[in-house]
């Protein structure tokens, strides 16, 4: 289980940073943005990443699929019905 409480993060694959503590996730995102700006030759000031009040319930878009028999479910069948990052 990850810091954010997801038991299926590894199988789901939708949240590859879940294995990191939230502070480490923010640092990872800051470094990725810095690398992208450098690669695009964009001069930038100090990059500030603002943490959310709660590091979950931030996604409001999912991929759904029609299952055999007509049922609807997550496109990624490993995703948990109570996914902690969905609003």
């Amino acid at each position: 289980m990850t810091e954010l409480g997801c038991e299926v993060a590894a199988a789901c694959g939708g949240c590859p940073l879940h294995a990191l503590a939230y502070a480490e996730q923010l640092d990872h995102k800051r470094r990725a943005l810095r690398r992208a700006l450098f690669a695009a030759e964009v001069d930038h000031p100090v990059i500030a990443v603002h943490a959310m009040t709660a590091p979950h319930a931030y996604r409001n878009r999912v991929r759904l699929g029609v299952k055999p028999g007509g049922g609807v479910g997550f496109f990624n069948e490993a995703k948990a019905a109570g996914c902690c990052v969905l609003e």
Side-chain angles (χ1 to χ4, degrees), residues 7-50:
E7 298 176 0
V8 297
C12 170
C15 306
L17 300 181
H18 263 261
L20 302 175
Y22 187 56
E24 292 171 342
Q25 291 180 31
L26 295 176
D27 187 53
H28 175 85
K29 292 172 184 179
R30 183 182 306 108
R31 286 183 279 123
L33 178 56
R34 184 174 288 125
R35 283 191 304 270
L37 291 171
F38 180 78
E41 298 180 354
V42 175
D43 189 27
H44 57 85
V46 174
I47 298 171
V49 175
H50 302 279

Side-chain angles (χ1 to χ4, degrees), residues 52-75:
M52 298 180 337
T53 305
H56 47 75
Y58 59 85
R59 287 194 179 164
N60 58 13
R61 183 179 144 248
V62 297
R63 292 178 65 194
L64 300 174
V66 178
K67 305 299 178 190
V72 176
F74 286 118
F75 180 79

